[in-house]
Amino acid sequence: MDVGLALERLHTGAARKSARGCETIIMFGFVIVELCGSNQIHSAELEHFEQEHLDLPVLKMECLNRCGLCRSRPYALVNGKVVTARTISQCFEKVTKVISEINEEF
């Protein structure tokens, strides 16, 4: 999903500029997953994750400015929170858990 479509789907929320000028979405009762285009998380497992979460905005950004982490392991940002693991499947499991915790809060 592209950034424009994700922003259209936001009912409440705000955006702020990061130090590098990229928009970071801050949600209130809404979940957004951001992925770095250079990270190993881009795989068949990502396609499976997106199919399981059709209503979830998954933004594939060119760069999230976490190059050291990006080189070393799969990671994603869930509402700005870094979620990482040793394997891609473990990372998606953790992402799913964080999403569930956010949904429980609202």
Side-chain angles (χ1 to χ4, degrees), residues 1 67 93:
M1 175 179 300
C67 299
E93 288 173 16

Side-chain angles (χ1 to χ4, degrees), residues 23-89:
E23 291 291 329
T24 301
I25 312 287
I26 304 170
M27 264 62 48
F28 304 99
F30 191 81
V31 177
I32 249 186
V33 177
E34 296 173 90
L35 305 173
C36 181
S38 299
N39 190 257
Q40 59 187 309
I41 201 163
H42 290 278
S43 64
E45 290 178 68
L46 171 58
E47 292 177 28
H48 180 71
F49 177 81
E50 288 180 306
Q51 289 299 316
E52 287 183 347
H53 301 88
L54 291 174
D55 60 337
L56 180 69
V58 177
L59 305 180
K60 298 164 189 133
M61 309 299 282
E62 186 174 323
C63 182
L64 293 174
N65 301 313
R66 300 182 190 283
C67 299
L69 177 62
C70 193
R71 279 189 295 274
S72 66
R73 57 183 50 208
Y75 84 98
L77 298 180
V78 180
N79 287 7
K81 177 182 179 182
V82 176
V83 178
T84 186
R86 290 188 180 269
T87 68
I88 294 169
S89 60

